[in-house]
Amino acid sequence: MTLLDTDPDAGLEPLEFAVTKNLTARSAAEREQILQSPGFGTHFTDHMVDICWSVRGGWHRPRVQPYGPIALDPAAAVLHYGQEIFEGIKAYRHADGSVHTFRPDQNGRRLQRSARRLALPELPVAYFIQSLRELIAVDGDWVPGGEDQSLYLRPFMFAKEAFLGVRPAHKVNYYVIASPAGAYFKGGVQPVSIWLSEDYARAGKGGTGAAKTGGNYAASLLPQSEAYENECDQVVFLDQDGNVEELGGMNIVFVLKDGTLVTPQSDSILEGITRDSILQLAIDRGHKVEGRDVSLAQWREGVASGEIVEVFACGTAAVVTPIGVLKGKGFFDQQPSGSLALSLREELTDIQYGRREDTHGWLHRLDA
Ligand SMILES: Cc1ncc(COP(=O)(O)O)c(C=O)c1O
């Protein structure tokens, strides 16, 4: 069987995007000033992708248009029932000026899984990747070239139909916007402190935990505020059986003293592409990797006994972040520090920025 036989997008014609240039696009000087210090999520490029979907017409009217407000009917289903999904993926500028993204097929597939769970239409992966390429074709100059900088791409899709009945919407739009991002950690990677959420859950069995949908993040805001009140950076969630799930926006990995990497696996956790990649790099180095339940008690006992030698979090935004402290009601556990997380981080970012050979074929060039 050839690859084409197994490719669900085989035979799919590329979309023909209509491009409307932004007449009030920032000048090169204004853009460069923003790219000096872009921060995260506050500046946006001059254009956005917009594709319509309807039950009758399927995916249609693909376009790149000036970045700007979206007109919504007050009865749009997303405003009432939260039928919405999104993705997060970065574009990296290499030393030769070319622009690449990382494993976009994986983000495209995850968007499809999220769509299935939220009863939204599945955008073909080929269209997903094409949408990123189309945006970079007009806004490629917004990919910053500084150390650890990137252009964060935010594809999202929501129910636009004006109808207050509770059922999957018949009209949906898919968009991609982009925001230049500075180095997550200024002056080197810092370990984060984690607050254990005991009163609030992020996901439940059969719920939407594995989907990247706004409601999961809305549910994490109150416990995240609790984390800040307790002087912690991030919150970690447990499942109903007391097993560790993940942080508000990152997966978690434990390193055992025999070099095995253990990460929680369940259908209520978002399957991170950073985690999958880091674990593959660890396997390449000869580490064993296990996806299994880790209870809070096993975590705390493992750290106390020395069985767990490192704990880190991983995700697209911060890549890999060592966990320095776990704090909960009435306890404060210092976490062991090791060097594996940082060396895997370096290997991964070297691949992403084109400083090391991409032996797994993970990079996808966006600007050619
Ligand atoms: C809840 C949650 N878990 C895990 C991740 C990590 O996923 P990825 O590595 O694909 O960014 C993210 C970030 O996107 C997230 O929001």
Side-chain angles (χ1 to χ4, degrees):
M1 195 181 270
T2 68
L3 187 65
L4 279 184
D5 291 331
T6 59
D7 179 357
D9 294 345
L12 205 62
E13 288 293 323
L15 294 171
E16 283 210 18
F17 279 74
V19 179
T20 307
K21 282 288 175 76
N22 187 342
L23 300 178
T24 57
R26 263 67 54 89
S27 68
E30 285 170 314
R31 188 178 59 236
E32 284 315 312
Q33 196 182 1
I34 292 171
L35 296 186
Q36 293 286 314
S37 181
F40 181 78
T42 51
H43 297 286
F44 298 93
T45 65
D46 294 310
H47 297 87
M48 61 194 220
V49 163
D50 181 356
I51 311 177
C52 300
W53 178 90
S54 65
V55 169
R56 282 206 196 150
W59 295 104
H60 62 279
R61 244 160 68 84
R63 53 203 186 274
V64 175
Q65 62 193 34
Y67 181 91
I70 297 170
L72 274 188
D73 192 290
V78 66
L79 299 177
H80 305 273
Y81 311 124
Q83 197 189 2
E84 183 269 356
I85 55 174
F86 65 99
E87 268 303 323
I89 181 167
K90 287 175 171 173
Y92 307 91
R93 190 173 296 285
H94 287 190
D96 65 1
S98 58
V99 175
H100 301 252
T101 193
F102 185 72
R103 307 187 75 185
D105 53 320
Q106 295 297 316
N107 290 83
R109 288 205 192 106
R110 189 169 67 188
L111 187 73
Q112 291 185 325
R113 293 197 297 275
S114 298
R116 233 170 283 149
R117 181 63 185 86
L118 272 289
L120 282 162
E122 289 178 43
L123 182 75
V125 172
Y127 290 175
F128 175 83
I129 295 176
Q130 192 189 353
S131 71
L132 308 182
R133 299 174 62 85
E134 297 282 344
L135 191 58
I136 291 299
V138 291
D139 279 342
D141 288 342
W142 281 92
V143 182
E147 199 182 340
D148 284 341
Q149 290 188 324
S150 60
L151 183 65
Y152 183 79
L153 302 164
R154 167 53 62 85
F156 61 106
M157 187 193 295
F158 63 80
K160 214 175 188 182
E161 185 184 2
F163 175 59
L164 291 184
V166 183
R167 59 143 170 78
H170 292 173
K171 281 190 187 156
V172 167
N173 276 58
Y174 165 80
Y175 300 88
V176 188
I177 56 172
S179 174
Y184 194 89
F185 296 102
K186 294 199 177 70
V189 181
Q190 302 295 330
V192 288
S193 51
I194 303 291
W195 173 253
L196 175 71
S197 175
E198 288 177 78
D199 297 333
Y200 306 106
R202 175 184 174 277
K205 202 169 165 47
T208 57
K212 208 160 166 64
T213 181
N216 292 342
Y217 297 82
S220 75
L221 299 179
L222 182 59
Q224 179 63 49
S225 306
E226 201 180 79
Y228 292 144
E229 278 158 24
N230 287 282
E231 287 152 8
C232 288
D233 304 306
Q234 288 277 332
V235 62
V236 64
F237 293 99
L238 302 181
D239 68 13
Q240 62 273 24
D241 302 318
N243 294 314
V244 179
E245 285 186 323
E246 59 181 321
L247 312 192
M250 283 189 263
N251 293 121
I252 191 164
V253 178
F254 301 90
V255 185
L256 307 187
K257 69 169 185 261
D258 70 358
T260 304
L261 280 75
V262 178
T263 189
Q265 197 166 42
S266 92
D267 59 9
S268 58
I269 296 174
L270 189 84
E271 289 178 273
I273 293 149
T274 313
R275 176 175 70 164
D276 185 73
S277 309
I278 288 283
L279 294 180
Q280 182 59 56
L281 296 179
I283 290 169
D284 295 347
R285 293 182 186 191
H287 288 268
K288 247 175 70 189
V289 164
E290 291 173 10
R292 62 170 159 86
D293 287 346
V294 178
S295 68
L296 176 67
Q298 284 169 333
W299 179 358
R300 298 192 62 200
E301 283 159 21
V303 166
S305 70
E307 177 63 17
I308 293 175
V309 294
E310 221 174 313
V311 189
F312 65 87
C314 49
T316 297
V319 193
V320 172
T321 311
I323 294 177
V325 164
L326 172 67
K327 196 172 167 185
K329 287 180 188 162
F331 74 89
F332 180 99
D333 291 354
Q334 201 78 44
Q335 301 299 297
S337 68
S339 59
L340 185 63
L342 291 187
S343 92
L344 288 169
R345 176 195 171 87
E346 185 175 301
E347 186 174 348
L348 184 66
T349 52
D350 278 353
I351 295 170
Q352 290 169 331
Y353 285 91
R355 298 185 291 254
R356 186 187 289 248
E357 196 191 346
D358 172 25
T359 54
H360 291 284
W362 283 339
L363 292 182
H364 177 97
R365 187 164 177 186
L366 286 175
D367 63 334

